[in-house]
Every structure is written in C-alpha cells, then in structure tokens.
Amino acid sequence: MVANTVRKIRKSMPIIKWLSGNYKVVSFFLMAVIVLEICVFLPYGYVPVALLLVVVILLCVRINMEKCMFTLSIILLCAGFFGPYLGLPAMENIFLFRVLLPIHLVLFLFFYKKDWARIRKIRIFLLLYIFFIFTMAITLFWTDSLSGSLRYIYFLFEWLYVFFICVYFLKDVKSYRVFAKCTVILYILFIAIGLWEVITGMHLPRSGSTFYITTTSEHQPTGFQFNTNDYAALLSILFPVVIIEMSKWRKRVAIIAISIISVVAIYLIIVTFSRMAMLVILIEVIVLLVSWMRSWIFVGIILGGLGTALISYYFQWNWIVQLFSDITRAFTDKNGSTLERIEMYKATWSLIRDSNFIGIGAGMLPTHLSTVMYGFENASASYWSPHNYWLEVLANGGILAFLPLISFFILYFINSIYYWVKARGRVESAVPFLIGVAFVCASIGLSGTFDKMFLGLGLGIGMTLLNIHYRETSGKEISNQS
C-alpha cells in the first residue's frame, strides 16, 4: 500500500523522481552551494569557485575515471615537491598541490567506483594514522589557538591523503613505475638546480639563503626547499627510489647514470653540511652495494671512484680537499647548534611533564617553546622550531597521540625488514627500509617535519612498495592453490 503510494507520488512529481535518480549530482551541487556561501566570508573566495568550475567541466565530459584519477594522482604527488613555487601570485598558501587535493577528494568520493581491496593488505597503517589525527584533534578542547591547531591538523590530513593516494592508485608495479620515472626526472631537476646554486651562488626566490646570510650559505644548495637541511633530506629520502628505477634501464646506460647521479647527490649533501643526511646517504650506498654484489661492474665503478678520491686527496686537488674539509666541519663546527638543540629538548620535555602528558594542543609547541627559551612572551619572534618530530608530537598531543604514531612506525619497520629478509636481500626490497631510515634521521635533523610534504611522499612510496609486495604474494598463493 505504502509502496504504491510512493510510486504514484513519483509519477505525479517528476522533479522528485529526477532527484532520487541523480542523488550524487544533487549532493555534489548542495555541497557546492554551501562552499560558495562560506567563501563569501573568506578572503580569496573566488579560488574555490574556480575549483568548482574545473570539477564541473570534468563531469560534463565523458572520460575514463580510472585513468583520469590516476593521472590526477601523479600530477598531485609531483606537485607536492614544489610547494609554493607552483602557487598563485601573492598567495603563497594556495599552490597547485592544495588546489588539486580537494578536486581529487571530491571526484573520488562522489564519482569514482571504489575498490577497497587495493589497500586491504596495509590498511592497518592508514587506520593507525587516522587514529593519530583523531587523538591530536581531541586537544582542540584545551588548545591556546584553535586556528593554529586546525592548521596543524590539516597538515596531518594532507599526509594521510598522500599515503592513501600512493597506496590506492600506485597499486601495482606498472602504475608505480610511472610515478618512479617522474621522480627520476624531478630528481635530476633538483640536483641540477643544486649544482647551479653551488656554482653561481644564486638561489630561487623562496630559498632561505635569500633571507639570511652566513659565511657558507651563498654557495650551499636549497633547491625548491627553504633551507639546506630540507634539501639534503629530500635528496636522501628519494635516493634509493631513483637509483632502483635507473637500474632498470639498459645496463651500460644504467651504470653511467647511477654513477653520475650518486656522485652528484653525495657531493650536494656534503656541501649542505647536513650531518644526518650524510649518515643516511652512507647507509643507503652501503645497503645498495651489499644488495648489488652480483654486479661487479657497478661495485668496480664505486670502488674506482673512491680510489680516485683518495688519490686526488693525496695529491691535494683543491675541490677534493674542500670536500673532505666540509665533512670534517659538519661534524666538528656545530657544537653551538648541538648544545642549543639539547636545550630545546630539555625545554620541550619540561612542557610535556607540565601538561601531565595530555599535550599542550596540536601545533602549539613552537609558541610555548619560544616562551620557555626566551623567558617571556616575545610577540616579534613567537616561533621556535623544536627540531625533534617525536618530542613535538608528544608535546602537542600527549601520550594518547604518541602511541598510535609510534605504533605506525614500529609496524612500518617490522614490515620493511620482513620484506627485505623474505626477498633475500633483493635490492628493490631494501627501498622501504631505507626510506624509513631517512625519515627517522630527518625527524631529528630538520627544524620541523609536519609541513615537509616530501617526507610524507617518501613514506607513501615505502607503503606502496610494501602493498605491491603483499598483493603479489597473495596473488601467487591463490594461483598456486588453484
């Protein structure tokens, strides 16, 4: 009886029938209206309007959504390396990555057929990180600055979404290698810019070297990053990805390319004076060499290069002597910086204890740390970088937020080492582990990490390789059983 009544109403009211049959489109436009209303009260409100128009154009054209979303994912991930350099004029916080992210999210939620089986093997990583964000969001109830905490949580969401895009859309070897090839091209661009900076002493507009001048900063590379440590961390975390992809080229070309890229990357990391990046690149080279012992030609080139360096140093070739001098200075001339960091660690720990381990609020550590370090509130310099990712998380979110995060990384390393051992040291299997090592070193070597998108991309690549491995393993097991 009721069903017949509903059918009669639908027949007599075609608008209701159309709305019920096109609920996705209706939902999308309702959201669009809400967004437009909000934009009236926000500066640069025309930007979301432009995003909406782009989405509408995409929807009006019949396209293969799988290919469209994959292409958009690759562009979005690559844009993450450039940050504000791909931004709108006079609006540094609105750049290509942040423009594409909401478009990608809306298309995925409303117009894309999901296949959740793609992430089934490593969904625990995503769940732990979601729980980490949730526990960090709890601190909104007692934070000193609601806007500052929301900004911090938004950065965490960006990392989560990058993880998801990497794992979901780089679902197999073929799709992953498309992104890996793009990474190789970008890596060559990054080191080319670094060499240009070292040779000319010139820097890109947003480089920290254009704002502060030291005795060494003029000829130290920063690339598309703000400072030298960030640049060195970028080179080190992507190094194994690039080298492994190059190893798949024709043998002779691969040997030449790998040798050149390795030498240049190591040189640029050394001239940044970044101690942690030097240790990371050393670990990566050793691990890759051990995994590559069957390729005696490659080992011979590396050993020959080291022999040439030692001979050059013996004969006092200027640039080799300067290189060894830079390495020595990096580990001996930074006592002041090291002592300052120790003081910051002590001050951060005091803030953690004073908060009774419940956290002072998401993203609030820098301003609180500034007050402790200066001894008073300094309105003109209210930001003090903690230089330690782990203490920063513990101070911001307390033990409740720290537990899911540390569980995330423990699980990541367990799976990475297990993959490496199970693959019997095959060189490709070392990449997730090396990325994890690079991240851990960067987490105590950089002034901050949550706004460094290339670190999130690195972890996303690591999880992608683990996911591909487990999916291929399970596929082989199923085929063997059948």
Side-chain angles (χ1 to χ4, degrees), residues 152 351 360-372 381-386 392 396 450:
Y152 183 88
L351 290 170
I360 58 179
M364 291 296 101
L365 176 60
T367 52
H368 282 253
L369 188 58
S370 174
T371 301
V372 173
S382 58
Y383 190 94
W384 198 286
S385 300
E392 181 181 4
N396 284 330
F450 74 97

Side-chain angles (χ1 to χ4, degrees), residues 151-409:
R151 176 177 175 271
Y152 183 88
I153 291 172
Y154 171 75
F155 278 119
L156 300 183
F157 169 75
E158 282 188 344
W159 278 43
L160 173 65
Y161 200 66
V162 165
F163 294 164
F164 173 76
I165 290 176
C166 288
V167 173
Y168 189 94
F169 289 99
L170 307 182
K171 60 184 186 300
D172 51 31
V173 174
K174 182 179 179 181
S175 57
Y176 165 74
R177 286 202 62 193
V178 172
F179 177 68
K181 290 175 183 177
C182 294
T183 304
V184 170
I185 296 172
L186 294 177
Y187 199 82
I188 294 173
L189 173 64
F190 298 152
I191 63 175
I193 292 175
L195 286 175
W196 169 74
E197 291 177 290
V198 171
I199 295 170
T200 65
M202 300 173 66
H203 303 278
L204 297 179
R206 291 182 174 84
S207 168
S209 296
T210 62
F211 299 100
Y212 59 83
I213 303 296
T214 67
T215 57
T216 59
S217 61
E218 182 179 358
H219 293 279
Q220 287 183 296
T222 55
F224 289 101
Q225 306 306 312
F226 180 74
N227 60 43
T228 54
N229 283 340
D230 296 346
Y231 179 73
L234 170 67
L235 293 186
S236 62
I237 201 167
L238 293 180
F239 181 78
V241 178
V242 171
I243 296 300
I244 297 303
E245 179 58 30
M246 284 182 166
S247 69
K248 301 182 186 303
W249 298 354
R250 286 186 300 175
K251 190 173 183 180
R252 185 172 299 177
V253 176
I255 291 173
I256 295 173
I258 289 172
S259 301
I260 294 173
I261 292 297
S262 299
V263 170
V264 175
I266 292 170
Y267 169 74
L268 290 174
I269 287 174
I270 290 174
V271 298
T272 63
F273 289 3
S274 176
R275 293 169 291 186
M276 286 299 176
M278 290 183 197
L279 292 175
V280 170
I281 201 73
L282 177 62
I283 293 171
E284 289 174 338
V285 169
I286 291 173
V287 169
L288 292 176
L289 279 175
V290 170
S291 302
W292 252 321
M293 286 305 289
R294 296 185 186 90
S295 180
W296 292 107
I297 297 177
F298 180 80
V299 176
I301 289 176
I302 297 297
L303 294 178
L306 293 175
T308 302
L310 292 175
I311 293 172
S312 303
Y313 183 74
Y314 177 78
F315 285 105
Q316 299 295 300
W317 290 359
N318 289 335
W319 71 277
I320 293 293
V321 173
Q322 183 62 45
L323 207 60
F324 278 92
S325 175
D326 289 344
I327 296 174
T328 303
R329 290 171 60 191
F331 287 90
T332 58
D333 289 356
K334 288 191 175 183
N335 291 332
S337 173
T338 302
L339 292 175
E340 185 180 59
R341 292 193 182 199
I342 292 174
E343 290 301 317
M344 285 190 289
Y345 293 171
K346 291 179 180 178
T348 302
W349 183 250
S350 68
L351 290 170
I352 294 170
R353 287 185 303 175
D354 292 344
S355 71
N356 295 316
F357 293 91
I358 66 170
I360 58 179
M364 291 296 101
L365 176 60
T367 52
H368 282 253
L369 188 58
S370 174
T371 301
V372 173
M373 297 299 290
Y374 283 115
F376 57 90
E377 291 189 12
N378 191 333
S380 62
S382 58
Y383 190 94
W384 198 286
S385 300
H387 289 80
N388 190 304
Y389 179 67
W390 315 101
L391 286 177
E392 181 181 4
V393 169
L394 191 56
N396 284 330
I399 193 69
L400 192 61
F402 184 77
L403 287 176
L405 183 70
I406 198 66
S407 300
F408 172 92
F409 280 99

